[in-house]
Amino acid sequence: MTAFLDLAVDIAREAGDMLLAKRPARPEAVQTKSSQTDVVTALDRASEELIRDRIKAARPGDAILGEEGGETVGAETREGRVRWIVDPIDGTVNFMYGLPDWAVSIAVEVDGEVVAGVVNVVPRGELFAAGKGGGAELMRQGMPAERLHCNTGVPLSQALIATGFGYQPGRRAVQAEVLAHVLPKVRDIRRGGSCAADLCSVAAGRVDGYYERGAEYWDFAAGGLIAAEAGARIGGLRGRPYNPDLTVCAAPGLFEQLHDLLEPLDPERDA
Ligand code: IPD
Ligand code: CA
Ligand code: CA
């Protein structure tokens, strides 16, 4: 499985380098998606094209699910059914505004299970990577790789919690209502603008936990494995696996407290 991780790292690096080199002073939206604030830049598309080309060149039989290009089917391979999950820029709004939390996120699934995940937080020069069962690492150029461990033993009242908001006004109204109940119960809230980077922040102990309604598989597939390999628990409400309705992530103990705070607030609804 390290071959998948190595390839994902190489491709995420190449896409990140291309984005840094080509990013104009103020990237413009070329299209809106689910709402006026849900935008795509030309470089989201260029990044996904580069990633797809590299995957196809190295592993022509694999399926690819990318945020911008949708799903392409694959064939059964020697390793099983392999699918690559790609967010070519996670944090496009940060990318447009020149804020440092945007990332290239690539995960590899074999027979439905994520076995490798890479999140390249390009402006920070930080590449987070994990292989299933092999732990999670932070790589920085010129520095030894750092083994990641999420924070443990933090009570909810002392927890710094990352979250994010969707693009639909009706969804945001409920997210604001839920947040109003969460904020008085925790240390503070962070809204970084990249789900993938948020999950890596859980892995690195830069926040204690994360929850979000509406994050998609390409947002959390890679970061979710990285957080889990750093010791965090990631899941949905009432024992469900993580999913777009709600994703919660924190060390065991805090996960349950955060879950029990969120669950009665019915956070999976939209207005
Ligand atoms: C978004 C970011 C953001 C999260 C949204 C995502 P995008 O991804 O991950 O942090 O709150 O739910 O859609 O649109 O920048 O790829
Ligand atoms: Ca995304
Ligand atoms: Ca994206």
Side-chain angles (χ1 to χ4, degrees):
M1 294 302 163
T2 49
F4 285 126
L5 185 57
D6 291 347
L7 181 58
V9 166
D10 286 349
I11 296 173
R13 276 215 173 100
E14 192 184 339
D17 290 348
M18 181 280 288
L19 288 167
L20 263 194
K22 295 205 170 155
R23 185 185 172 280
R26 193 72 194 222
E28 277 174 26
V30 290
Q31 199 197 321
T32 58
K33 296 193 283 188
S34 61
S35 81
Q36 288 292 349
T37 52
D38 183 5
V39 292
V40 191
T41 71
L43 285 170
D44 287 79
R45 290 181 179 156
S47 174
E48 184 157 327
E49 209 175 298
L50 182 156
I51 294 166
R52 283 179 182 271
D53 286 350
R54 295 297 177 275
I55 296 168
K56 277 189 231 153
R59 299 198 43 100
D62 295 355
I64 304 172
L65 170 66
E67 179 176 13
E68 309 305 338
E71 178 119 41
T72 53
V73 291
E76 186 75 27
T77 70
R78 200 157 44 93
E79 293 86 357
R81 278 178 301 107
V82 180
R83 184 167 71 143
W84 295 69
I85 318 295
V86 176
D87 191 337
I89 301 179
D90 186 50
T92 295
V93 174
N94 286 347
F95 180 75
M96 290 174 69
Y97 279 73
L99 287 165
D101 270 10
W102 54 267
V104 176
S105 175
I106 302 178
V108 188
E109 243 184 15
V110 177
D111 295 329
E113 188 190 23
V114 180
V115 298
V118 176
V119 174
N120 183 6
V121 188
V122 185
R124 294 190 189 278
E126 295 187 332
L127 191 141
F128 297 84
K132 179 90 189 161
E137 284 188 341
L138 165 56
M139 295 183 253
R140 286 179 266 220
Q141 214 182 0
M143 291 171 77
E146 193 186 312
R147 204 88 179 148
L148 299 176
H149 303 282
C150 69
N151 295 337
T152 55
V154 181
L156 185 65
S157 61
Q158 297 295 306
L160 185 61
I161 301 294
T163 192
F165 308 117
Y167 293 109
Q168 300 291 339
R171 177 160 294 179
R172 286 184 172 181
V174 175
Q175 286 173 322
E177 187 191 314
V178 169
L179 186 66
H181 285 87
V182 171
L183 188 51
K185 298 279 196 312
V186 299
R187 179 189 293 275
D188 207 343
I189 288 289
R190 293 291 179 270
R191 197 298 189 242
S194 159
C195 163
D198 286 346
L199 289 167
C200 293
S201 290
V202 175
R206 294 172 181 173
V207 296
D208 300 302
Y210 161 85
Y211 77 92
E212 183 166 354
R213 159 145 178 78
E216 297 286 349
Y217 195 41
W218 47 76
D219 297 316
F220 54 64
L225 179 67
I226 293 163
E229 287 293 327
R233 181 171 168 194
I234 181 161
L237 287 188
R238 295 174 288 273
R240 284 177 71 194
Y242 60 7
N243 67 87
D245 290 338
L246 197 82
T247 297
V248 182
C249 181
L254 178 58
F255 178 97
E256 291 75 16
Q257 291 178 62
L258 186 55
H259 173 281
D260 293 353
L261 172 65
L262 291 165
E263 200 263 346
L265 303 174
D266 192 12
E268 294 179 322
R269 75 204 137 92
D270 297 319

